[in-house]
């Protein structure tokens, strides 16, 4: 009886243990614009019994607390200052801004860990909203201009025809596997690469199932697809695997 009582006390103490986390920008900056990528440090404590590899797999190339996307995890170690604190260094993308007072929760295994982001100020990207408002005002002021209306109708007709042609072309691509070979061989730009990822189920069917090269390609595209812009190094990272796939098709 005493043994069971001790086990119960131990369990209650374990549940009573508070686990906390803190997310901060490594470079020492505080402002973070939507779509930008920053190197961050995630500190979680106490988490002395955590499996480092499991933590890495749980966070790498995944959404984090709804507002972030964690890309490459660079390091997962126990802190030198506190052996019960786990340090995670990774590249992260801010998907959308949030209030500084908003409580963020990271669900890891059976734990709901509050994440302190008080050192970070997130900033919404208002440029697109301002452009949209300006364009709307200009259109509203020209509602009585018959020439503008005629041009608008003409543009709308061109767009509809373009969408129809694109729709027909897309259907033909899905109907003819041979077209996927042409698409993969011709893929070079970000739009072409992301089109392959968006239709990955069809691409997998064309290749007769998943294979290591194809899975690696999808993984690398997913790592970069949330970024606002791709530089040449990021495109080259994807092309390296894509070129292997192209060689297998020739």
């Amino acid at each position: 009886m005493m043994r069971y009582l001790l086990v119960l006390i131990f369990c209650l103490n374990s549940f009573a243990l508070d686990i906390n986390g803190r997310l901060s920008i490594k470079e020492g900056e505080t402002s973070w614009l939507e779509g930008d990528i920053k190197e961050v440090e995630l500190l979680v404590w106490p988490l002395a019994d955590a499996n480092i590899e499991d933590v890495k797999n749980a966070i790498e190339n995944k959404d984090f607390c709804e507002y972030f996307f964690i890309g490459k995890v660079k390091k997962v170690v126990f802190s030198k200052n506190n052996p019960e604190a786990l340090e995670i260094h990774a590249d992260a993308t801010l998907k959308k801004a949030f209030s500084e007072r908003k409580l963020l929760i990271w669900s890891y295994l059976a734990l709901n860990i509050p994440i302190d982001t008080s050192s970070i100020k997130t900033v919404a990207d208002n440029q697109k909203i301002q452009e949209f408002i300006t364009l709307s005002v200009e259109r509203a002021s020209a509602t009585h201009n018959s020439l503008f209306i005629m041009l608008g109708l003409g543009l709308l007709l061109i767009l509809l025809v373009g969408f129809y042609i694109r729709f027909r072309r897309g259907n033909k691509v899905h109907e003819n596997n041979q077209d996927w070979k042409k698409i993969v061989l011709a893929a070079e730009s970000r739009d072409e690469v992301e089109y392959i990822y968006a239709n990955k189920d069809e691409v997998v069917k064309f290749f007769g199932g998943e294979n290591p090269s194809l899975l690696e390609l999808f993984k690398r595209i997913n790592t970069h697809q949330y970024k606002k812009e791709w530089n040449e190094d990021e495109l080259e990272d994807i092309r390296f695997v894509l070129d292997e796939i192209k060689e297998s098709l020739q």
Side-chain angles (χ1 to χ4, degrees), residues 67-208:
Y67 297 93
F68 304 93
F69 176 80
I70 304 296
K72 180 177 179 59
V73 173
K74 299 181 177 180
K75 182 171 68 172
V76 182
V77 295
F78 287 102
S79 172
K80 295 179 180 179
N81 300 322
N82 182 356
E84 292 189 342
L86 193 66
E87 289 184 12
I88 304 167
H89 295 187
D91 290 330
T93 303
L94 176 63
K95 294 172 58 179
K96 56 182 177 179
F98 56 89
S99 167
E100 294 178 35
R101 297 182 178 180
K102 187 173 182 63
L103 177 64
L104 303 188
I105 300 295
W106 176 34
S107 296
Y108 173 65
L109 299 179
L111 303 172
N112 289 322
I113 305 172
I115 303 298
D116 177 16
T117 59
S118 58
S119 66
I120 301 172
K121 179 182 179 181
T122 61
V123 181
D125 186 358
N126 293 322
Q127 183 176 356
K128 292 183 178 179
I129 297 175
Q130 292 171 356
E131 290 174 355
F132 175 78
I133 293 174
T134 302
L135 184 60
S136 298
V137 171
E138 289 175 352
R139 288 184 175 178
S141 65
T143 53
H144 300 293
N145 189 322
S146 58
L147 178 61
F148 178 83
I149 294 174
M150 291 176 62
L151 290 174
L153 291 173
L155 179 60
L156 179 61
L157 180 61
I158 292 171
L159 289 173
L160 289 174
V161 172
F163 284 137
Y164 176 75
I165 293 173
R166 187 172 181 179
F167 176 77
R168 290 291 302 275
R169 185 180 299 167
N171 280 348
K172 289 181 179 178
V173 167
H174 286 296
E175 292 169 1
N176 187 353
N177 279 341
Q178 186 61 27
D179 285 345
W180 276 116
K181 179 178 179 179
K182 295 178 183 178
I183 290 172
V184 173
L185 288 175
E188 290 292 338
S189 68
R190 174 176 181 170
D191 287 343
E192 291 167 339
V193 168
E194 288 187 326
Y195 181 78
I196 292 174
Y197 185 86
N199 296 277
K200 58 184 178 181
D201 291 338
E202 293 295 328
V203 176
V204 168
K205 289 179 183 177
F206 165 69
F207 280 89

Side-chain angles (χ1 to χ4, degrees), residues 205-220:
K205 289 179 183 177
F206 165 69
F207 280 89
E210 296 178 342
N211 62 63
S213 295
L214 206 56
L215 292 176
E216 181 62 22
L217 175 65
F218 294 153
K219 178 181 177 181
R220 295 195 184 193

Side-chain angles (χ1 to χ4, degrees), residues 14-15 39 48 57 69 142 155 176-177 186 214 243 245:
S14 297
F15 281 115
E39 184 178 353
N57 292 336
F69 176 80
L155 179 60
N176 187 353
N177 279 341
L214 206 56
D243 286 344
I245 296 174

